[in-house]
Amino acid sequence: MTHPFFQRHLQGPGGILELLPIAFPMFLSSMFDMLMMFVDRLYLSRVGVVHQAATMSGGITSWMLTSFFVGMVGYSSALIAQYYGANQKPFCVRMVRQSLLLAFLSYPLSLAAHWLLLRLHVFSLHSELEAALETKYYWYMGFGSLLSLLRFSFASFFTGIGKTRIILLANTVALLVNMSANWILIFGHFGCPALGLDGAAMGTLLASASMVSVLAFQFHRRRQEPQFQEKEHPLLDPEKFLKLLRYGLPQGVENFLCTFCFVFIVSSFHSYGDDVATATTIVFNWDGFSFHPLLGIQVGVTTLVAQALGRNDPALALRTAHSGFKVAILYAGCMILLFLTATHPLVAFFTPESTGLDYSQVRAYAHPMLKLAGVYLMTDAIMLISGGVLRGAGDTFWSMVLHLLSNLFLGGILLLMVHVLHFPPMKAWTFFVFAGMFSISPIFLRYKLGAWKNLRIIAPQEKKE
């Protein structure tokens, strides 16, 4: 007889063992995503002190704009999951088509947004060298934003139907391309000139293109299966396109707000000078490396909650949410222990003495900052699972509103500490970290109130293809 512990936590529909086959490949995929950025900054740490900081701020500022459109396009995964759970599988393919259409329509808007933001002198508070490098990397990522949009369009199909190993395959190919291309282009091997930051950007875009190619090929194969065959193949399905906009727009705004808050955080600490900027980048490298796998767990929760509600089973959706919290909190606890016990080697990884560059002041800031970073990693775990449940249920409007309140609170605290009271870097970082513990209260309360269990995205008239 199975032990009651396993029955309660691991086994059965909505248990951890059902979540892990979806979440673990996305866990690894998200880690590989971060590892690609991690490798870029590791290589660039051998080029110059400012270069790795420039890729952080330039890249995340570009992503802030792209994330709005990615949020809209990527919400097709939750819609696909509900159609899949409701056994309306031909609509899964149709939703991908609507997502791809929205991606191509969004690209020129993304480029226009990049141009407009740069006109606001977004990097003006940074040193002249850092601002020049940031701007260059920002434009590389801006022009490559179409690859991100296409990637999330194709990936939404596989997350929605729970076949996330294909996404892991695509991420693995991209990681290999990224590591090899960046090594060749940044340092100048096999007859190529040493391109430094330009090489890092080019390698990243090559990796993104390889990922899109794998996902597109696999989608073409899977859509030929009988279960996904459509009677009609319209390029535009107005009803489903508008559904994607209705639920995806708040998700896009939420993505933008969260990324904007992060950009403001990065920019604020970069304003303290190059040493603090580099220390902050190192901390966010490790924080991002630990944070991104939580996104994989969130994807698994969103998918299974959406599928459960698609088949009108809120009790199953709730058990899935509980499993998500257990896995995420356990993982966050392990990463906190790592930050506290391996602080020095983690920082030393990005501050090599062999290059002849002086990283002593950078280390003095990075060591205590990294230890404190573990505090808000647990906060992130709770926030992501709560948000993933609401997303799967279609509660995107209130999720957007509550994230806005949280980001306004954090942004206001940071504005006061850094730009008004002019706190020293470590004091500002400490206040910021502990303020983050309170910022998740609205989103977690929304989850606990449980109104999301009564929401349904799919209307009765959609039951037949």
Side-chain angles (χ1 to χ4, degrees):
M1 181 179 294
T2 305
H3 193 278
F5 175 86
F6 294 102
Q7 292 179 334
R8 180 181 178 186
H9 298 286
L10 301 180
Q11 298 177 340
I16 291 175
L17 291 180
E18 184 181 55
L19 174 64
L20 287 181
I22 298 175
F24 188 67
M26 290 306 300
F27 179 102
L28 292 178
S29 297
S30 297
M31 185 175 286
F32 287 178
D33 267 341
M34 187 59 206
L35 190 55
M36 283 189 273
M37 294 183 280
F38 189 90
V39 167
D40 288 0
R41 295 163 194 161
L42 177 62
Y43 287 166
L44 289 172
S45 70
R46 273 67 178 167
V47 176
V49 174
V50 181
H51 289 68
Q52 58 174 314
T55 60
M56 163 69 83
S57 52
I60 196 62
T61 303
S62 173
W63 176 250
M64 176 183 69
L65 300 174
T66 305
S67 67
F68 170 75
F69 302 102
V70 162
M72 291 196 298
V73 166
Y75 192 74
S76 55
S77 64
L79 291 166
I80 289 168
Q82 290 228 359
Y83 286 125
Y84 191 81
N87 200 28
Q88 302 174 47
K89 296 176 183 177
F91 286 144
C92 297
V93 173
R94 190 171 299 184
M95 279 308 310
V96 175
R97 196 177 298 118
Q98 307 315 298
S99 182
L100 288 169
L101 180 60
L102 183 57
F104 282 108
L105 292 175
S106 299
Y107 182 56
L109 298 177
S110 174
L111 292 180
H114 276 78
W115 180 81
L116 286 172
L117 184 62
L118 207 59
R119 300 283 292 178
L120 299 176
H121 307 288
V122 67
F123 302 123
S124 61
L125 295 177
H126 304 166
S127 68
E128 185 176 347
L129 174 60
E130 184 180 0
L133 293 172
E134 286 168 330
T135 302
K136 183 184 294 187
Y137 197 82
Y138 169 86
W139 272 121
Y140 272 114
M141 297 301 105
F143 280 107
S145 61
L146 178 61
L147 294 172
S148 296
L149 294 168
L150 294 178
R151 169 197 171 178
F152 279 88
S153 294
F154 287 119
S156 66
F157 175 76
F158 298 107
T159 55
I161 67 173
K163 305 299 181 184
T164 52
R165 284 181 293 179
I166 293 173
I167 300 174
L168 176 59
L169 169 66
N171 274 82
T172 303
V173 171
L175 176 62
L176 295 174
V177 170
N178 183 77
M179 293 177 68
S180 55
N182 280 11
W183 182 73
I184 293 169
L185 295 171
I186 291 174
F187 300 115
H189 295 289
F190 299 111
C192 292
L195 298 175
L197 181 136
D198 295 83
M202 292 176 188
T204 297
L205 295 180
L206 284 172
S208 295
S210 67
M211 190 185 308
V212 171
S213 299
V214 173
L215 290 172
F217 175 74
Q218 292 294 334
F219 170 71
H220 178 72
R221 289 184 61 226
R222 294 301 297 264
R223 74 185 181 92
Q224 305 296 331
E225 296 177 7
Q227 61 180 329
F228 295 117
Q229 288 296 305
E230 301 175 277
K231 294 178 182 177
E232 299 177 356
H233 303 79
L235 174 63
L236 173 65
D237 183 328
E239 186 254 338
K240 288 178 174 50
F241 187 82
L242 290 175
K243 189 188 292 290
L244 179 58
L245 284 179
R246 175 188 172 188
Y247 291 101
L249 184 60
Q251 183 66 40
V253 173
E254 180 184 322
N255 279 9
F256 174 81
L257 291 172
C258 291
T259 314
F260 178 81
C261 183
F262 185 70
V263 168
F264 182 68
I265 293 166
V266 171
S267 182
S268 294
F269 284 102
H270 279 220
S271 68
Y272 282 112
D274 291 343
D275 288 333
V276 177
T278 305
T280 306
T281 300
I282 291 169
V283 171
F284 280 132
N285 280 342
W286 287 113
D287 172 67
F289 192 74
S290 57
F291 172 84
H292 272 63
L294 288 171
L295 294 175
I297 301 171
Q298 183 194 46
V299 168
V301 170
T302 298
T303 297
L304 290 177
V305 166
Q307 288 182 1
L309 294 179
R311 64 176 68 103
N312 198 28
D313 192 344
L316 176 59
L318 183 61
R319 186 169 190 238
T320 298
H322 291 164
S323 296
F325 279 113
K326 294 168 188 174
V327 174
I329 290 172
L330 177 62
Y331 166 77
C334 293
M335 295 310 300
I336 291 170
L337 184 62
L338 178 66
F339 285 179
L340 292 175
T341 58
T343 310
H344 287 258
L346 291 176
V347 172
F349 202 71
F350 287 97
T351 56
E353 296 182 358
S354 59
T355 60
L357 300 171
D358 183 11
Y359 279 112
S360 57
Q361 193 58 46
V362 172
R363 295 189 197 100
Y365 285 118
H367 288 154
M369 291 174 77
L370 184 59
K371 288 182 178 180
L372 284 171
V375 173
Y376 66 77
L377 186 62
M378 187 65 73
T379 300
D380 287 339
I382 296 170
M383 178 192 69
L384 285 173
I385 302 305
S386 300
V389 173
L390 298 183
R391 181 185 182 194
D395 195 7
T396 54
F397 175 77
W398 280 107
S399 179
M400 174 193 71
V401 170
L402 297 175
H403 273 94
L404 172 61
L405 294 176
S406 298
N407 289 325
L408 285 174
F409 172 72
L410 275 181
I413 290 289
L414 202 60
L415 178 66
L416 179 66
M417 292 185 301
V418 177
H419 301 287
V420 178
L421 299 177
H422 303 291
F423 280 7
M426 280 311 306
K427 188 175 181 180
W429 180 261
T430 303
F431 272 86
F432 160 71
V433 165
F434 285 99
M437 297 175 64
F438 297 97
S439 68
I440 66 162
S441 301
I443 194 77
F444 183 68
L445 181 61
R446 178 70 179 178
Y447 158 77
K448 287 296 291 182
L449 290 174
W452 57 270
K453 289 181 282 188
N454 300 318
L455 297 178
R456 299 294 181 271
I457 296 176
I458 299 174
Q461 61 267 27
E462 295 183 75
K463 291 295 182 182
K464 298 293 181 182
E465 158 61 5

